[in-house]
Structure formats: structure tokens, C-alpha cells
Amino acid sequence: MQWTTLSLLDWTTGYFEKHNIPSPRLDAEILLAHVLGLTRVQLYMQFDRPMNADELARFKELMLRRSKNEPVAYIVGNKEFYSLPFAIGPGVLIPRPETELLVEAVLKHPFFTDKTKPSHIFEVGTGSGNIIITLLKHWTTVMGTSWDISEKALEIASQNAARHVVSERLTLEKKNFLTEIQMPVCDIFVSNPPYISKTEMETVMPDVKNFEPLEALVADDDGFIFYKKIAETLKSRLQWQLAIVEVGDTQAQKVVSLFDGLGSIKTIKDYQGIERIVVIER
């Protein structure tokens, strides 16, 4: 049998469905496009392309890895965020679409149009650098500082900063936010901290639970320890003007109560109508 890109995609989609892969067709397309060195749009234009033995062998290897729930982003080494490509690897949290709402909340704020005001963004939880790098990429007049406890995350973030030409404006530091006393002076504070409780972690999908870094996902105090520390930090700092955090799908109102008294507070809903972003403005 002569495999074409289309017949291979159809077969792989069915195979992934049998293995309960959440987005079987999309994952098949991403993996095959990666093997062939094409974009997904280019792949659509070559559905009758015959596959050679080497391409089939390389695709089979990736397909089997995905069938065992390894995340696609780790397999191909990249993930798009806010229309920008980011290098991703094991040990680094994979960017989620809902986190783009956090970036949008900053870029839609009046501070962004009046670029003479804020001068520094401070982030807790660097990961791949997707949040802070995207902000610096779009906002060329600000500086940024980002903390993470993971050497691997900081290494990947440094690569991504160089890729997007923001290295000179970004300071990456290995620090534990929960134990630090001195924080950088900043105008804007952003964070997508760990917020899954240990109990909830038992119920998440295998590709998250078995592959992504627990320290970037799980938080003590039923998932609220970082928000309590953030509230404590913001209360003790005088300069910040805007703070924006991502929260779990049932956490928004409790986080709002933790931030009570800090300023004007609002929430932003995600694509499923869940309160996902909490914004505090002084």
C-alpha cells in the first residue's frame, strides 16, 4: 500500500481515537507537518503527497510517543502562544490558550497606549517565558524581570528571549517566590502560578499528570499558597499600578477576596465562560 499524507492522517486519527487522545486529528496533523517540515496549511495543500519509508518511520516513532500520552509540544519541541513560536521541552510547563487572556489584559490596558507610564514588569513563574517575552515583544519600551525555581525553565526561557530579541530587556532569575522577602520594584505584576491542589492533580489528564513538571502545576494550601503570598507582597509594595494573575476554574472568587483592599478588582472569563483572570488596578 502506498501511503499518502491524507490516508496516513485518516488512519492515525482513528488510532489516536482508540487510545483516547483528546484532539486526534489536530495532533496527527501537527506531528505529520513536523516530520515533513511543513506548516499545517502547507500540509492541507499536499494531501495526495506520497510518503517515503524514512518519513513513515519517523512519523511512526512520534505517533507512538503521542499514543502514550506524551504531549505534542514536547514531541515537536515547540508551542505557539499569542501567534509567536516558543521552544518547549520536558520539565517546562506547556503554554495554554487561556493564558493568552492574561497577556491581552495587559496589552489592552491604557498603560499600553500611554507608553510613557510603566517601565517595569515583574513576573512570578517564568516557564518557557511565554508571558513575559510576549509582553516585551509587543511593548518595546518596558523592561522585565521574571523568577522561576527551575533551571530548565530558565534555560528554555533564555533561548526564547534570544529568539524573540528581548534578551537585553529581560532579567531571568532562579528564585523561590514563596521564600523571598525582597521583590523587584515594578509597575506591573503578572503571574500564572501553580494553582492545582494535590487532590485535584489526581484527576487531571495523563499527558499533564505524567509529563509536565509538578512544581509548575501543584500548590499547597489547596492551591492557594501562591495567591496568598502575592496578596501579601502587593500589600507591602507601594509602586505597582497593575497586577494580573491567572487562576484555576473554581478559584476566582476566593482569590478576589484575598486581594480585597488592594484596589479596583475585576475578573475576565475564558472561552468557556469561566472566570480565569483576576485584574487588580490601583
Side-chain angles (χ1 to χ4, degrees):
M1 174 182 176
Q2 175 62 66
W3 290 98
T4 64
T5 54
L6 180 58
S7 61
L8 188 58
L9 286 172
D10 289 342
W11 186 91
T12 305
T13 300
Y15 183 81
F16 282 167
E17 287 173 346
K18 292 176 184 177
H19 285 77
N20 299 312
I21 301 301
S23 48
R25 182 70 177 200
L26 174 63
D27 290 359
E29 290 177 358
I30 292 173
L31 294 177
L32 186 55
H34 177 71
V35 166
L36 298 178
L38 304 173
T39 65
R40 284 178 60 215
V41 172
Q42 291 170 331
L43 185 65
Y44 298 153
M45 300 172 66
Q46 299 186 34
F47 274 165
D48 58 349
R49 171 178 172 165
M51 301 286 296
N52 63 43
D54 179 61
E55 292 166 343
L56 287 170
R58 286 188 287 127
F59 179 76
K60 180 181 179 181
E61 178 186 351
L62 304 190
M63 178 195 71
L64 291 175
R65 288 170 63 184
R66 181 60 185 134
S67 70
K68 296 175 182 177
N69 294 302
E70 184 175 352
V72 170
Y74 290 164
I75 296 173
V76 302
N78 277 280
K79 178 72 174 179
E80 185 177 285
F81 179 82
Y82 214 77
S83 300
L84 294 173
F86 284 85
I88 299 295
V92 179
L93 186 70
I94 299 170
R96 268 61 170 179
E98 55 266 28
T99 306
E100 294 183 350
L101 296 172
L102 189 157
V103 170
E104 283 186 1
V106 177
L107 297 182
K108 287 182 178 179
H109 194 275
F111 285 158
F112 180 63
T113 54
D114 184 3
K115 297 183 176 64
T116 62
K117 285 189 176 179
S119 61
H120 202 105
I121 300 172
F122 174 43
E123 177 189 35
V124 169
T126 311
S128 64
N130 56 299
I131 294 173
I132 191 73
I133 290 170
T134 301
L135 290 174
L136 296 182
K137 182 77 172 176
H138 285 80
W139 199 344
T140 59
T141 60
V142 299
M143 307 291 286
T145 299
S146 187
W147 288 0
D148 206 297
I149 62 171
S150 167
E151 290 277 9
K152 182 63 176 178
L154 293 169
E155 176 187 332
I156 293 290
S158 179
Q159 295 174 17
N160 284 321
R163 181 180 196 173
H164 293 296
V165 200
V166 299
S167 298
E168 292 185 357
R169 292 187 289 122
L170 177 59
T171 301
L172 298 170
E173 297 181 320
K174 183 182 180 182
K175 292 197 176 184
N176 186 340
F177 176 68
L178 296 178
T179 60
E180 286 290 334
I181 299 175
Q182 295 296 323
M183 303 294 165
V185 173
C186 69
D187 303 290
I188 297 175
F189 175 95
V190 296
S191 184
N192 176 21
Y195 55 66
I196 301 175
S197 71
K198 293 178 181 178
T199 302
E200 291 173 324
M201 194 63 194
E202 296 302 315
T203 66
V204 302
M205 295 186 300
D207 54 347
V208 176
K209 181 168 62 175
N210 298 334
F211 290 92
E212 295 199 62
L214 292 180
E215 67 269 20
L217 295 164
V218 180
D220 288 337
D221 204 356
D222 290 329
F224 287 97
I225 191 169
F226 277 89
Y227 301 115
K228 291 180 177 180
K229 176 67 172 180
I230 290 169
E232 174 189 319
T233 301
L234 294 178
K235 286 174 183 175
S236 67
R237 305 294 294 190
L238 298 178
Q239 182 170 327
W240 69 272
Q241 301 171 62
L242 181 68
I244 303 181
V245 299
E246 182 174 330
V247 300
D249 57 10
T250 63
Q251 294 178 317
Q253 290 309 306
K254 183 168 181 179
V255 172
V256 167
S257 68
L258 290 173
F259 293 160
D260 185 47
L262 286 171
S264 173
I265 304 176
K266 70 175 182 178
T267 62
I268 298 172
K269 293 181 178 179
D270 66 13
Y271 313 109
Q272 297 178 316
I274 297 168
E275 291 179 306
R276 182 66 65 178
I277 308 296
V278 176
V279 180
I280 313 103
E281 183 176 358
R282 290 179 122 173

